Amino acid sequence: MIELRRAAERGHAQHGWLDSWHSFSFADYHDPAHMGYSALRVINEDRIQPGTGFGTHGHRDMEIVSYVLEGALAHKDSMGTGSTIVPGDVQRMSAGRGVQHSEFNHSQDGVTHFLQIWIEPNVRGIPPGYEQKHFDAASKRSRLRLVASPDGAEGSVKIHQDTRLYVTLLDGAERASHALAPGRKAYVHVARGTLTVNGTPLGAGDALKASGVADVVLEKGEGAEALLFDLP
């Protein structure tokens, strides 16, 4: 089964300093038909204005993945971590039994554009943890590069859930495919550009849910950058 989620159908919040599009119910946006997909709970496409950001706040029992598309995101947390996330980086923070953190755009003239992803963990009450790795463009070109997984395979960041996140860059005749095991689901989110997924045209911000199919095929990209989640 294939189900589309068009970019314009998402929830939208404009806070001045933050422009956010919600693929699933989040904060003041509530849609019973879009509460998540399998273990995937949140995909927020956020744009943070210069010199602003998320002040210190807390999370519990959630795997939070940040993927920067433009600009830079400065991270600080109660574990003592301080880092800057730039395009190509994948950050994973396991909130576990509780963590406080902040995320800021310290640039004075550039917007930070990033995806905030929440995945529900399969364990609760664990010590909080942090991991950040860089994946260059060449490693994602014309293939699905594994960037997050339950076992840290292929140098990916490790998440506490039976979920694998892949990223691809596609242009022209380039093509990438993913075999979906029986009973598994896939969720494809287009971060930018255009491409087709199993023959269905998608643009930036669009998403596709797939279940009961043997393969997920991404092709005919034009400046495309897409994320594919393999979910239980």
Side-chain angles (χ1 to χ4, degrees), residues 144-166:
L144 285 158
R145 174 62 164 103
L146 183 66
V147 299
S149 68
D151 54 4
E154 300 176 28
S156 59
V157 300
K158 187 175 180 179
I159 55 175
H160 297 88
Q161 180 54 268
D162 183 17
T163 292
R164 289 162 181 82
L165 169 58
Y166 301 83

Side-chain angles (χ1 to χ4, degrees), residues 113-208:
H113 180 198
F114 80 109
L115 299 177
Q116 178 186 171
I117 299 159
W118 293 10
I119 297 169
E120 295 182 2
N122 54 15
V123 291
R124 296 183 177 273
I126 61 173
Y130 182 91
E131 192 177 9
Q132 181 177 334
K133 292 190 176 181
H134 185 79
F135 302 89
D136 63 21
S139 71
K140 296 176 278 191
R141 172 62 57 189
S142 193
R143 65 184 288 258
L144 285 158
R145 174 62 164 103
L146 183 66
V147 299
S149 68
D151 54 4
E154 300 176 28
S156 59
V157 300
K158 187 175 180 179
I159 55 175
H160 297 88
Q161 180 54 268
D162 183 17
T163 292
R164 289 162 181 82
L165 169 58
Y166 301 83
V167 180
T168 187
L169 301 173
L170 295 174
D171 275 292
E174 295 172 338
R175 182 178 186 270
S177 65
H178 178 72
L180 201 59
R184 303 285 295 184
K185 301 175 181 177
Y187 189 92
V188 178
H189 177 91
V190 182
R192 54 181 149 207
T194 62
L195 77 168
T196 69
V197 179
N198 287 22
T200 300
L202 299 177
D206 289 347
L208 180 147

